[in-house]
Amino acid sequence: MSGGRTENPVACEAAQGGRSKKRDSLGTAGATHLIIKDLGEIHSRLLDHRPVTQGEIRYFVKEFEEKRGLRELRVLENLKNMIQETNEHMLPKCKETMQDGLAEALQRLQAANDSIGRLQQREQEKKKVINEHLTASEKQRLLQWEEFMKGQPERRAQVDDEHRRAMERLKEQYAEMEKDLAKFSTF
């Protein structure tokens, strides 16, 4: 059987005409055919598992269809009914509620935007007024500072003059005190 040949070795030896006891005990070509048939059956029983596998597959499919088939069918029907109910009843309600809620939310958002816009405008006006006031105050302070600085040399001269006179009075006072002290020290 190697190399793809289909010859039977026993049949070949029988055809060659050399008969031995062993070959005689095997018998004729009909017996050889039975032996080959038996070998085929043994081979198929030992190595060919297709019938057993097919039987197991048929049993599994039968069990699956009987036991799980009905349960899976009920689950699928329940899911179908739930989806259908959701599509017919819940989805329109949710859509309507969402649209109403979105419309209201949009109105509130628009009102909030308007309020914020007005607040920003007021804030900008206040900032403008404050900036104008600050600018005017700054100009006024600069004018006051300039006037202050213009009058500063005169005030300094006055203060210096008063200081000089006070120093002269103190010198005169101390000079008189020294004279009086000198009178008392002669005793």
Side-chain angles (χ1 to χ4, degrees):
M1 286 197 195
S2 64
R5 292 187 296 179
T6 57
E7 293 182 31
N8 187 350
V10 175
C12 286
E13 289 177 7
Q16 289 174 357
R19 294 188 179 249
S20 64
K21 278 188 170 183
K22 198 173 194 181
R23 279 187 242 141
D24 287 339
S25 66
L26 290 176
T28 62
T32 308
H33 181 66
L34 289 175
I35 292 172
I36 291 173
K37 186 177 179 182
D38 288 340
L39 283 175
E41 284 182 31
I42 292 171
H43 172 72
S44 69
R45 286 184 182 171
L46 291 176
L47 301 176
D48 189 12
H49 301 293
R50 276 181 279 170
V52 174
T53 307
Q54 287 174 352
E56 289 294 322
I57 290 172
R58 274 189 235 110
Y59 175 74
F60 176 76
V61 168
K62 182 179 175 185
E63 287 291 315
F64 184 79
E65 286 175 351
E66 287 176 1
K67 291 183 179 177
R68 290 195 55 165
L70 296 176
R71 185 174 59 203
E72 295 293 326
L73 185 62
R74 283 192 307 268
V75 169
L76 290 174
E77 284 178 13
N78 288 340
L79 284 172
K80 178 186 161 197
N81 291 338
M82 193 182 326
I83 290 171
Q84 198 171 28
E85 180 181 333
T86 302
N87 284 339
E88 291 174 358
H89 301 292
M90 299 299 289
L91 191 61
K93 283 182 183 178
C94 290
K95 187 177 180 182
E96 182 180 325
T97 304
M98 183 181 68
Q99 286 176 346
D100 292 343
L102 284 177
E104 184 180 336
L106 185 61
Q107 289 173 350
R108 287 183 180 181
L109 184 62
Q110 188 64 38
N113 278 340
D114 293 340
S115 293
I116 289 173
R118 286 190 303 268
L119 286 173
Q120 284 178 338
Q121 186 176 5
R122 285 185 208 152
E123 188 70 25
Q124 287 175 353
E125 289 172 2
K126 284 181 183 180
K127 282 183 181 181
K128 184 179 177 183
V129 169
I130 290 171
N131 284 339
E132 289 174 357
H133 179 68
L134 286 175
T135 305
S137 296
E138 187 176 342
K139 287 179 182 178
Q140 185 180 4
R141 300 256 186 309
L142 285 173
L143 290 173
Q144 289 173 348
W145 181 255
E146 287 176 5
E147 286 180 30
F148 175 76
M149 290 307 285
K150 285 179 184 177
Q152 207 50 30
E154 292 174 18
R155 285 188 208 115
R156 187 174 12 147
Q158 287 175 356
V159 169
D160 286 345
D161 190 41
E162 283 181 33
H163 179 67
R164 185 182 47 79
R165 278 187 260 154
M167 289 294 289
E168 286 177 7
R169 273 194 312 254
L170 283 175
K171 282 183 187 180
E172 289 175 10
Q173 186 179 357
Y174 280 118
E176 280 183 33
M177 287 171 69
E178 268 184 39
K179 286 181 189 177
D180 287 343
L181 190 65
K183 287 183 191 175
F184 291 119
S185 65
T186 56
F187 289 119

